[in-house]
Amino acid sequence: MTELRNVEADLSRFRARVLVAGIAVVVCFLLVLSRLVYLQVVRHDDLLEQAESNRTAIVPVVPNRGLILDRNGIVLASNYSAYTLEVTPSKVTDLEQTIDALSQVVEISQRDRRRFKKLREESKSFESLPLRTRLSDEEVAKFAGQHYRFPGVEIKARLFRSYPYGELASHVIGYIGRINQAEKEKLDDSDDAANYRGTDYIGKLGVEQSFEAQLHGITGVDSMETSAGGRAMRRLASNPATPGNTVKLALDIKLQHMVEELFGERRGALVALDPKTGEILAFVSKPTFDPNLFVEGIDQESWQALNESIDKPLLNRALRGTYPPGSTYKPFMALAALETGKRTPEQTIFDPGYFMFGGHRFRDDKEGGHGNVDMYHSIVASCDTYYYMLANDLGVDTIHDQLQRFGFGELTGIDIFGEVRGLLPSTAWKRKAYKKPEQQKWYAGETISLGIGQGYNNFTMLQLASAVGTLANNGVKMKPHLVKEVMDIITHAPTTTEHESVGEVIAKAANIAVIKHAMVGVNLEGTSSASFRGAPYTSGGKTGTAQVVQIKANEKYVASKMEERFRDHALFTAFAPAEDPKIALAIIVENAGFGAKYSAPIARRVIDYWLLNQYPSLEDIEAVKKGMAPAPIGKPRTVAELPWPPGAPVAPVAPVAPASAASAPAKTASVASPGR
């Protein structure tokens, strides 16, 4: 029996299905339309920015670092551009094999490999690291032809820092080095993070570090159109970088060079400054180091040589080296006695050659003693016994309070980082410094040696020079500074460092006059008179000898029988001209012995340079190095005659006219034997 279809029902189902399908199509169309509206209207700006971002790349433009000049405009730090061969370790499968293959294309030394290894240890694997620097055009061309063989390796053009005088004044100038992780984190948290995009280097020491903000400049940006593969096609827009500002120092680099020459291979420090302004004229720390070693990333071998050297060339002795001041402390002790009324200038003591206290014999440097000694002769002859007695009468806390006013044991506030405080002892200091009760107690016998600048006393040459400058400036203390001015690279307008006085006048004018008169006597008839014989100006000074190791009461100090590094330090402080001081200084020659023999002669040449425009003869320099020329020998040169840069041939110079009567040598005094 044949079943008949219900046509009407089939048509009804068909219409329903068509309707559903139609509705589905309409809904899908509406969804597509709404999505299109959303993308084209709502998110138009955002997507346009993304598209533009995919088409373009923002490339940071690293600014030229600012120049560093000395006070006369001599360039101490500049820049040069060079090609570098760089490797990104994360993009290289076999690093050692790649470097071996690269060495067949361009020369790669063992030093390059060691430096690269050290950089890898300090950096992340995705950072591009220089393997070879300063490639020649020929080497660049050779690599370009082989570039396809070395994924993860590329040639870059970079700016490098140059220190044209190498080791000269390296502790002052400092150096730049690659930004380490700690510095990167600090930059990321600062407001200056964007300014260091694309920058791999930062100031690490000295002026380079302390004036980083002025020297770095402002990073620019280039907007580049890129291909789908990310290759730059053309520059769309450019916002150029602003170079760093020029930093001009108060330092005289020729004076600095002279002092470093006079030190020779000996260790030590010298700080010379203008007492009226606080400008630092020379800031010497010996031995020095070559900052150029750090520019490209120092290799492990060179780093170990510097870091493990017994001479500590990386230590800035002028800023961070602390020493007992020895007898250079005595003028300040004498001034403290006048200020507190413990002594008068005329009051005398009898010196038998020792001072007995608590059963201990404190010896004077002169056997048999100096006899009756007043304040003037205590400084001129450097009588220890006078100051043993004075220290006992003053007491440690009075000494602390009086000497602290001159900056001993205090930061000077110099404009480079890293200064240390030194140590000016007091009873309060000892209670904080030690844990055991018996160690916290101050014993009266500990005060005695403070009077001659020994005991716990430890100060930097910067502090000592600042104190002498304050004394020379009649008690007005000026804040020392290395930077004279910063010149804006755009406007060329200089911002000059203000000459800043620190506090009020430190002592009475009459008392300061007594001390300065005695220090003039030191250079005229005292322990340093041999060095200042014939000087056409009047100067003040004080010699000093600081013990490195303690000598037992029944033993005698014999330098020749001691290991060189255990011998006494030689110190000297000075200012000139005495009537209107334009320079004050402090110097230490480590383990050299008498200040009169080794330190005062260098000070004499520094003052001659600054006041008379004189540079020592070659024979004089060699004699000073050996401690064999107290006063200058040979014919001094003018500063203009000095071959510059160092090592350049000497240019012929017209004969110098005879000195006028005004510059004739001052009266000379009898020569005292080298002493403290």
mmCIF file of all heavy atoms in Angstrom, residues 617-646:
data_model
loop_
_atom_site.group_PDB
_atom_site.id
_atom_site.type_symbol
_atom_site.label_atom_id
_atom_site.label_comp_id
_atom_site.label_asym_id
_atom_site.label_seq_id
_atom_site.Cartn_x
_atom_site.Cartn_y
_atom_site.Cartn_z
ATOM 1 N N SER A 617 114.088 71.715 36.056
ATOM 2 C CA SER A 617 114.925 71.148 35.004
ATOM 3 C C SER A 617 114.877 69.624 35.082
ATOM 4 O O SER A 617 114.477 69.042 36.095
ATOM 5 C CB SER A 617 116.371 71.626 35.167
ATOM 6 O OG SER A 617 116.908 71.129 36.394
ATOM 7 N N LEU A 618 115.310 68.972 34.010
ATOM 8 C CA LEU A 618 115.303 67.515 33.976
ATOM 9 C C LEU A 618 116.198 66.929 35.057
ATOM 10 O O LEU A 618 115.837 65.943 35.715
ATOM 11 C CB LEU A 618 115.744 67.020 32.593
ATOM 12 C CG LEU A 618 114.793 67.334 31.425
ATOM 13 C CD1 LEU A 618 115.407 66.916 30.103
ATOM 14 C CD2 LEU A 618 113.456 66.624 31.627
ATOM 15 N N GLU A 619 117.371 67.539 35.271
ATOM 16 C CA GLU A 619 118.281 67.024 36.302
ATOM 17 C C GLU A 619 117.697 67.233 37.698
ATOM 18 O O GLU A 619 117.889 66.398 38.596
ATOM 19 C CB GLU A 619 119.650 67.701 36.194
ATOM 20 C CG GLU A 619 119.627 69.215 36.376
ATOM 21 C CD GLU A 619 121.011 69.838 36.264
ATOM 22 O OE1 GLU A 619 121.970 69.282 36.864
ATOM 23 O OE2 GLU A 619 121.134 70.872 35.583
ATOM 24 N N ASP A 620 116.960 68.315 37.870
ATOM 25 C CA ASP A 620 116.326 68.574 39.164
ATOM 26 C C ASP A 620 115.250 67.528 39.455
ATOM 27 O O ASP A 620 115.143 67.018 40.575
ATOM 28 C CB ASP A 620 115.720 69.982 39.171
ATOM 29 C CG ASP A 620 115.253 70.404 40.553
ATOM 30 O OD1 ASP A 620 115.905 70.030 41.540
ATOM 31 O OD2 ASP A 620 114.219 71.088 40.643
ATOM 32 N N ILE A 621 114.460 67.188 38.441
ATOM 33 C CA ILE A 621 113.401 66.189 38.622
ATOM 34 C C ILE A 621 114.004 64.859 39.048
ATOM 35 O O ILE A 621 113.518 64.206 39.984
ATOM 36 C CB ILE A 621 112.583 66.030 37.330
ATOM 37 C CG1 ILE A 621 111.754 67.293 37.070
ATOM 38 C CG2 ILE A 621 111.666 64.807 37.402
ATOM 39 C CD1 ILE A 621 111.043 67.296 35.732
ATOM 40 N N GLU A 622 115.079 64.449 38.385
ATOM 41 C CA GLU A 622 115.717 63.171 38.729
ATOM 42 C C GLU A 622 116.298 63.197 40.129
ATOM 43 O O GLU A 622 116.228 62.204 40.867
ATOM 44 C CB GLU A 622 116.805 62.845 37.706
ATOM 45 C CG GLU A 622 116.271 62.523 36.319
ATOM 46 C CD GLU A 622 115.246 61.399 36.343
ATOM 47 O OE1 GLU A 622 115.520 60.354 36.985
ATOM 48 O OE2 GLU A 622 114.170 61.563 35.742
ATOM 49 N N ALA A 623 116.856 64.347 40.531
ATOM 50 C CA ALA A 623 117.443 64.453 41.867
ATOM 51 C C ALA A 623 116.363 64.422 42.951
ATOM 52 O O ALA A 623 116.547 63.806 44.008
ATOM 53 C CB ALA A 623 118.270 65.734 41.969
ATOM 54 N N VAL A 624 115.231 65.069 42.693
ATOM 55 C CA VAL A 624 114.133 65.076 43.667
ATOM 56 C C VAL A 624 113.591 63.670 43.859
ATOM 57 O O VAL A 624 113.261 63.255 44.976
ATOM 58 C CB VAL A 624 113.017 66.044 43.222
ATOM 59 C CG1 VAL A 624 111.785 65.895 44.111
ATOM 60 C CG2 VAL A 624 113.509 67.486 43.276
ATOM 61 N N LYS A 625 113.485 62.920 42.796
ATOM 62 C CA LYS A 625 113.006 61.538 42.896
ATOM 63 C C LYS A 625 113.856 60.728 43.873
ATOM 64 O O LYS A 625 113.348 59.853 44.575
ATOM 65 C CB LYS A 625 113.033 60.861 41.520
ATOM 66 C CG LYS A 625 111.987 61.350 40.537
ATOM 67 C CD LYS A 625 112.141 60.593 39.221
ATOM 68 C CE LYS A 625 111.165 61.086 38.167
ATOM 69 N NZ LYS A 625 111.345 60.365 36.883
ATOM 70 N N LYS A 626 115.150 61.023 43.909
ATOM 71 C CA LYS A 626 116.077 60.273 44.763
ATOM 72 C C LYS A 626 116.272 60.921 46.128
ATOM 73 O O LYS A 626 117.046 60.425 46.946
ATOM 74 C CB LYS A 626 117.431 60.158 44.055
ATOM 75 C CG LYS A 626 117.363 59.439 42.726
ATOM 76 C CD LYS A 626 118.690 59.512 41.989
ATOM 77 C CE LYS A 626 118.592 58.878 40.599
ATOM 78 N NZ LYS A 626 119.861 59.030 39.841
ATOM 79 N N GLY A 627 115.585 62.046 46.382
ATOM 80 C CA GLY A 627 115.749 62.746 47.654
ATOM 81 C C GLY A 627 117.099 63.419 47.790
ATOM 82 O O GLY A 627 117.630 63.542 48.896
ATOM 83 N N MET A 628 117.658 63.890 46.665
ATOM 84 C CA MET A 628 119.018 64.442 46.666
ATOM 85 C C MET A 628 119.062 65.920 46.307
ATOM 86 O O MET A 628 120.139 66.469 46.081
ATOM 87 C CB MET A 628 119.888 63.656 45.679
ATOM 88 C CG MET A 628 120.052 62.192 46.042
ATOM 89 S SD MET A 628 120.950 61.237 44.788
ATOM 90 C CE MET A 628 122.535 62.085 44.776
ATOM 91 N N ALA A 629 117.915 66.596 46.255
ATOM 92 C CA ALA A 629 117.907 68.017 45.885
ATOM 93 C C ALA A 629 116.874 68.753 46.709
ATOM 94 O O ALA A 629 115.721 68.879 46.291
ATOM 95 C CB ALA A 629 117.625 68.182 44.393
ATOM 96 N N PRO A 630 117.251 69.266 47.886
ATOM 97 C CA PRO A 630 116.285 70.044 48.683
ATOM 98 C C PRO A 630 115.790 71.263 47.916
ATOM 99 O O PRO A 630 114.596 71.400 47.672
ATOM 100 C CB PRO A 630 117.090 70.439 49.927
ATOM 101 C CG PRO A 630 118.204 69.453 50.002
ATOM 102 C CD PRO A 630 118.542 69.109 48.580
ATOM 103 N N ALA A 631 116.712 72.144 47.502
ATOM 104 C CA ALA A 631 116.367 73.324 46.709
ATOM 105 C C ALA A 631 116.595 73.010 45.235
ATOM 106 O O ALA A 631 117.348 72.092 44.890
ATOM 107 C CB ALA A 631 117.211 74.518 47.141
ATOM 108 N N PRO A 632 115.951 73.752 44.336
ATOM 109 C CA PRO A 632 116.085 73.471 42.902
ATOM 110 C C PRO A 632 117.522 73.564 42.421
ATOM 111 O O PRO A 632 118.300 74.420 42.859
ATOM 112 C CB PRO A 632 115.218 74.558 42.257
ATOM 113 C CG PRO A 632 114.214 74.915 43.307
ATOM 114 C CD PRO A 632 114.952 74.800 44.604
ATOM 115 N N ILE A 633 117.873 72.678 41.497
ATOM 116 C CA ILE A 633 119.186 72.702 40.856
ATOM 117 C C ILE A 633 118.976 72.803 39.353
ATOM 118 O O ILE A 633 117.920 72.456 38.827
ATOM 119 C CB ILE A 633 120.031 71.461 41.200
ATOM 120 C CG1 ILE A 633 119.313 70.186 40.736
ATOM 121 C CG2 ILE A 633 120.327 71.402 42.686
ATOM 122 C CD1 ILE A 633 120.142 68.921 40.915
ATOM 123 N N GLY A 634 120.007 73.255 38.651
ATOM 124 C CA GLY A 634 119.888 73.433 37.218
ATOM 125 C C GLY A 634 119.044 74.651 36.889
ATOM 126 O O GLY A 634 118.517 75.332 37.761
ATOM 127 N N LYS A 635 118.894 74.910 35.612
ATOM 128 C CA LYS A 635 118.115 76.064 35.175
ATOM 129 C C LYS A 635 116.653 75.671 35.026
ATOM 130 O O LYS A 635 116.302 74.820 34.202
ATOM 131 C CB LYS A 635 118.645 76.574 33.837
ATOM 132 C CG LYS A 635 117.924 77.834 33.354
ATOM 133 C CD LYS A 635 118.467 78.294 32.015
ATOM 134 C CE LYS A 635 117.716 79.538 31.528
ATOM 135 N NZ LYS A 635 118.200 80.002 30.205
ATOM 136 N N PRO A 636 115.783 76.291 35.820
ATOM 137 C CA PRO A 636 114.355 75.946 35.690
ATOM 138 C C PRO A 636 113.798 76.415 34.353
ATOM 139 O O PRO A 636 114.253 77.410 33.781
ATOM 140 C CB PRO A 636 113.708 76.692 36.857
ATOM 141 C CG PRO A 636 114.635 77.819 37.157
ATOM 142 C CD PRO A 636 116.014 77.313 36.856
ATOM 143 N N ARG A 637 112.828 75.696 33.850
ATOM 144 C CA ARG A 637 112.147 76.064 32.619
ATOM 145 C C ARG A 637 110.891 76.852 32.946
ATOM 146 O O ARG A 637 110.348 76.730 34.039
ATOM 147 C CB ARG A 637 111.770 74.801 31.835
ATOM 148 C CG ARG A 637 112.950 73.968 31.385
ATOM 149 C CD ARG A 637 112.517 72.600 30.878
ATOM 150 N NE ARG A 637 112.177 71.702 31.960
ATOM 151 C CZ ARG A 637 111.727 70.451 31.791
ATOM 152 N NH1 ARG A 637 111.554 69.991 30.557
ATOM 153 N NH2 ARG A 637 111.447 69.683 32.824
ATOM 154 N N THR A 638 110.431 77.646 32.005
ATOM 155 C CA THR A 638 109.112 78.244 32.173
ATOM 156 C C THR A 638 108.078 77.191 31.786
ATOM 157 O O THR A 638 108.379 76.226 31.071
ATOM 158 C CB THR A 638 108.926 79.498 31.295
ATOM 159 O OG1 THR A 638 108.953 79.098 29.924
ATOM 160 C CG2 THR A 638 110.016 80.524 31.574
ATOM 161 N N VAL A 639 106.854 77.393 32.228
ATOM 162 C CA VAL A 639 105.801 76.431 31.896
ATOM 163 C C VAL A 639 105.598 76.378 30.384
ATOM 164 O O VAL A 639 105.296 75.322 29.821
ATOM 165 C CB VAL A 639 104.491 76.800 32.627
ATOM 166 C CG1 VAL A 639 103.363 75.877 32.209
ATOM 167 C CG2 VAL A 639 104.695 76.744 34.136
ATOM 168 N N ALA A 640 105.815 77.497 29.691
ATOM 169 C CA ALA A 640 105.661 77.540 28.235
ATOM 170 C C ALA A 640 106.687 76.652 27.539
ATOM 171 O O ALA A 640 106.451 76.151 26.438
ATOM 172 C CB ALA A 640 105.781 78.975 27.742
ATOM 173 N N GLU A 641 107.854 76.453 28.168
ATOM 174 C CA GLU A 641 108.899 75.612 27.588
ATOM 175 C C GLU A 641 108.618 74.126 27.742
ATOM 176 O O GLU A 641 109.254 73.305 27.087
ATOM 177 C CB GLU A 641 110.245 75.919 28.245
ATOM 178 C CG GLU A 641 110.827 77.275 27.927
ATOM 179 C CD GLU A 641 112.140 77.480 28.657
ATOM 180 O OE1 GLU A 641 113.179 77.021 28.152
ATOM 181 O OE2 GLU A 641 112.124 78.071 29.753
ATOM 182 N N LEU A 642 107.681 73.783 28.604
ATOM 183 C CA LEU A 642 107.394 72.381 28.865
ATOM 184 C C LEU A 642 106.862 71.720 27.600
ATOM 185 O O LEU A 642 105.882 72.185 27.024
ATOM 186 C CB LEU A 642 106.359 72.258 29.987
ATOM 187 C CG LEU A 642 105.872 70.845 30.312
ATOM 188 C CD1 LEU A 642 106.990 70.032 30.934
ATOM 189 C CD2 LEU A 642 104.667 70.891 31.240
ATOM 190 N N PRO A 643 107.485 70.638 27.142
ATOM 191 C CA PRO A 643 106.946 69.954 25.964
ATOM 192 C C PRO A 643 105.575 69.370 26.280
ATOM 193 O O PRO A 643 105.410 68.655 27.266
ATOM 194 C CB PRO A 643 107.985 68.851 25.696
ATOM 195 C CG PRO A 643 108.716 68.667 26.982
ATOM 196 C CD PRO A 643 108.708 69.998 27.661
ATOM 197 N N TRP A 644 104.605 69.697 25.451
ATOM 198 C CA TRP A 644 103.234 69.238 25.707
ATOM 199 C C TRP A 644 102.568 68.885 24.394
ATOM 200 O O TRP A 644 102.677 69.659 23.440
ATOM 201 C CB TRP A 644 102.425 70.340 26.408
ATOM 202 C CG TRP A 644 101.201 69.789 27.069
ATOM 203 C CD1 TRP A 644 99.925 69.759 26.572
ATOM 204 C CD2 TRP A 644 101.156 69.135 28.330
ATOM 205 N NE1 TRP A 644 99.088 69.130 27.451
ATOM 206 C CE2 TRP A 644 99.814 68.742 28.545
ATOM 207 C CE3 TRP A 644 102.110 68.825 29.306
ATOM 208 C CZ2 TRP A 644 99.413 68.069 29.692
ATOM 209 C CZ3 TRP A 644 101.719 68.169 30.445
ATOM 210 C CH2 TRP A 644 100.382 67.801 30.627
ATOM 211 N N PRO A 645 101.957 67.717 24.276
ATOM 212 C CA PRO A 645 101.737 66.713 25.317
ATOM 213 C C PRO A 645 103.045 66.139 25.859
ATOM 214 O O PRO A 645 104.073 66.262 25.201
ATOM 215 C CB PRO A 645 100.916 65.636 24.597
ATOM 216 C CG PRO A 645 100.381 66.288 23.371
ATOM 217 C CD PRO A 645 101.364 67.318 22.986
ATOM 218 N N PRO A 646 102.997 65.502 27.033
ATOM 219 C CA PRO A 646 104.210 64.924 27.619
ATOM 220 C C PRO A 646 104.902 63.989 26.635
ATOM 221 O O PRO A 646 104.268 63.169 25.979
ATOM 222 C CB PRO A 646 103.673 64.144 28.827
ATOM 223 C CG PRO A 646 102.407 64.830 29.186
ATOM 224 C CD PRO A 646 101.809 65.293 27.891
#
